[in-house]
Amino acid sequence: MGGGTRTTISSICAAAVASATLAGVAAVPAAAAPAANETAAASVGAYCDVAMQVVAQWSTGYGVVLAVRNTSDVPVRWRRLDLSFPGPIWSVQAWNVSYTQHGQQVTFVPSSSGVLQPGQTVTIGLIYASGSISTPPQPEVTCSPT
């Protein structure tokens, strides 16, 4: 695949992530490997939950929107979002967060304060290059009251 094709895929994924971000993300777990625009995984914590929606796929990767939502009645600060991928990671690109990668583990932290009011959601765009979504990563979010 040439450089022009990668640019096109990145542009398509960025547009899909932006579109899905504006449309919102539903936390509905999927029974099998999800197709584009289906939710791949959901995780619930004491104060927040996180949903992952696939918005684009190709043979060597996929684009997703991760939505961290305050499910409590008090303001919370989301501190980190951990993803454990099922295999090696060739490349990760993310929006609205900073991240570190150690092997198959990627940790995202908020670019801003990370404070979410009750019911508020923050979305994170992610492009992952390494394989198919047949085994989606398992997201785990850490939130605490402010």
Side-chain angles (χ1 to χ4, degrees):
M1 203 180 278
T5 304
R6 280 192 203 105
T7 301
T8 302
I9 290 172
S10 294
S11 299
I12 291 168
C13 288
V17 167
S19 172
T21 299
L22 295 175
V25 178
V28 180
N37 293 316
E38 289 185 14
T39 299
S43 174
V44 178
Y47 297 98
C48 295
D49 67 12
V50 59
M52 185 176 82
Q53 181 181 25
V54 178
V55 294
Q57 291 186 70
W58 54 96
S59 63
T60 59
Y62 50 89
V64 298
V65 171
L66 296 157
V68 176
R69 180 175 58 110
N70 179 350
T71 58
S72 74
D73 294 332
V74 298
V76 299
R77 181 177 314 276
W78 79 275
R79 300 192 182 282
R80 64 188 288 155
L81 172 63
D82 295 309
L83 286 180
S84 298
F85 287 88
I89 300 171
W90 297 335
S91 174
V92 171
Q93 297 176 358
W95 297 262
N96 299 331
V97 291
S98 300
Y99 68 92
T100 57
Q101 177 185 340
H102 299 287
Q104 294 170 222
Q105 180 77 27
V106 179
T107 298
F108 301 94
V109 296
S111 295
S112 61
S113 71
V115 174
L116 298 174
Q117 297 303 316
Q120 185 179 9
T121 299
V122 63
T123 56
I124 302 159
L126 169 69
I127 293 177
Y128 166 69
S130 184
S132 73
I133 190 76
S134 61
T135 306
Q138 299 303 306
E140 183 178 318
V141 66
T142 302
C143 292
S144 59
T146 57

